Amino acid sequence: MPVLNERGYLRKAVETVLAQEVDGPAELILALGPSTDGTNDLARELAEDDPRITLVDNPAADIPAGLNLAIRAGRYPTVVRVDAHSELEPGYTRRALATLARVNAANVGGVMRADGRSPFQRAVARAYNSPVGLGGGAYHGGTHEGEAESAYLGVMRRAVLDEVGLFDESIRRGEDWELNLRIRRAGYRVWFDPSLSVTYWPRESWSRLARQFHATGRWRGELVRRFGRGNSLRFFAPPALVVVLALSVVVGILQLTGLLAGWWSVAASLVYLPVVAYVLLIAVWAIGPGGGRGWRDKLWTAAVLPTMHLSWGAGFLAGVARGAHDTVDTSRLGDRNTPLP
């Protein structure tokens, strides 16, 4: 479990991990980043109360570095990745281990079930759980078991991780997708089991959500630079939206200034169609059951969805054009990276 500034979530996350029932010994390794909110003091307190908890330092605060430090410190042949901003459902580990053996997979993951404590956070959770928000990945709401492109968190065979080389520490976002790509290319299975469920608590403010998605989009652009069509087509939808929106603004300015007129203006107006279709989609989704119950929920949903799409899409285009370089997600802590998906 990589940990950074998670005092409000860490105790519950640890409790849900330690409550898991497995046949055999288990340990929980916390990779502690340089938190400033007292998280590391709480982690030491938890470790003193339970000998199954081991602490390792992760001074770089990067997700893959922390994961690799924790994996190398581990003693057992199966690795269960967990996050400080998530809570495992009862029976999660036992079912995951059974699935791992049943289908002879190298990595097994389940469903990310986002939840929220405030109206804004609940709106983000609804977006995470909906096909309009983060649709496409099986772990955002899939119901059919089978081979998958990637896995949320993941229950992995240590021998396979050692074979393919653990997490790539040069990738700060999307490191799980890249690892699963290597696992699949090595001839092993990545498996999705919808009976596995993990509660995930998303970002709590608008600015943090936008920063998170911009950084994630930029790293996806970097992954497209590195792996090309190894990336799913669904990753190209948000940047396409940003491009069409930018073109519509340019066309609108040219029409208003008279620089674009006549049949050329009529033809150029076709660029507005996908924008109108997108606005209608967001409106229909927000007004419907997917937008929540009251008008306040629906307004938050209508605001959150474009924030996620446009931030991610703009980051993607920047990543494709210039690479991710040292881009980090600052939505958890100042100018440092966050150890969360």
Side-chain angles (χ1 to χ4, degrees):
M1 179 189 293
V3 181
L4 183 69
N5 272 14
E6 294 292 352
R7 186 172 180 86
Y9 294 89
L10 181 62
R11 184 181 295 276
K12 183 64 174 178
V14 167
E15 288 175 352
T16 66
V17 172
L18 297 179
Q20 299 294 305
E21 297 180 354
V22 296
D23 297 325
E27 61 190 347
L28 171 58
I29 304 172
L30 306 183
L32 302 180
S35 295
T36 59
D37 67 346
T39 292
N40 290 359
D41 291 334
L42 174 59
R44 285 187 282 270
E45 175 187 324
L46 294 171
E48 290 174 358
D49 292 339
D50 196 308
R52 291 174 293 175
I53 299 176
T54 299
L55 307 180
V56 296
D57 288 329
N58 177 26
D62 288 340
I63 302 171
L67 289 169
N68 287 345
L69 287 167
I71 291 169
R72 292 187 181 107
R75 295 173 289 170
Y76 302 123
T78 308
V79 174
V80 181
R81 177 181 172 179
V82 290
D83 278 327
H85 226 59
S86 300
E87 297 173 11
L88 300 185
E89 295 296 317
Y92 171 89
T93 305
R94 183 184 293 275
R95 287 195 298 271
L97 293 173
T99 300
L100 196 70
R102 173 172 56 86
V103 303
N104 193 29
N107 189 8
V108 170
V111 177
M112 172 201 283
R113 299 202 184 279
D115 202 351
R117 298 172 177 174
S118 67
F120 177 84
Q121 196 177 40
R122 286 194 293 272
V124 178
R126 286 192 296 274
Y128 266 83
N129 295 332
S130 77
V132 175
L134 293 180
Y139 55 85
H140 287 304
T143 57
H144 300 291
E145 183 178 16
E147 292 193 46
E149 174 186 11
S150 188
Y152 174 56
L153 299 183
V155 178
M156 300 165 273
R157 298 185 188 276
R158 172 65 184 270
V160 174
L161 292 179
D162 289 337
E163 178 183 334
V164 301
L166 302 186
F167 288 91
D168 185 339
E169 296 185 13
S170 72
I171 299 174
R172 291 178 169 176
R173 307 287 292 181
E175 75 290 337
D176 49 350
W177 178 88
E178 189 276 337
L179 173 64
N180 283 296
L181 177 64
R182 278 186 281 129
I183 289 174
R184 289 186 287 111
R185 287 181 172 177
Y188 297 101
R189 278 179 162 184
V190 176
W191 196 263
F192 171 71
D193 183 349
S195 72
L196 304 175
S197 177
V198 180
T199 298
Y200 170 72
W201 301 96
R203 301 301 189 266
E204 304 93 337
S205 76
W206 208 332
S207 63
R208 290 185 175 186
L209 179 70
R211 295 203 306 264
Q212 176 201 10
F213 271 75
H214 185 273
T216 303
R218 182 138 187 182
W219 274 104
R220 176 53 58 183
E222 172 69 28
L223 293 175
V224 167
R225 288 167 64 98
R226 296 191 190 192
F227 302 106
R229 278 296 298 119
N231 294 266
S232 171
L233 283 175
R234 64 189 173 88
F235 295 128
F236 294 84
L241 172 65
V242 173
V243 170
V244 169
L245 186 61
L247 287 175
S248 68
V249 171
V250 172
V251 169
I253 293 174
L254 293 176
Q255 289 173 331
L256 289 173
T257 57
L259 296 175
L260 189 62
W263 286 108
W264 285 109
S265 178
V266 174
S269 295
L270 293 175
V271 76
Y272 298 134
L273 294 180
V275 176
V276 171
Y278 176 76
V279 171
L280 289 175
L281 173 64
I282 298 300
V284 169
W285 189 263
I287 292 171
R293 295 182 179 179
W295 64 269
R296 182 174 296 178
D297 279 357
K298 296 181 184 302
L299 288 176
W300 272 125
T301 300
V304 161
L305 286 169
T307 299
M308 292 166 57
H309 296 155
L310 296 177
S311 298
W312 200 98
F316 179 97
L317 293 173
V320 169
R322 302 191 299 273
H325 301 296
D326 294 327
T327 299
V328 296
D329 176 1
T330 61
S331 62
R332 291 279 185 220
L333 174 64
D335 59 354
R336 299 300 296 273
N337 198 15
T338 170
L340 297 174

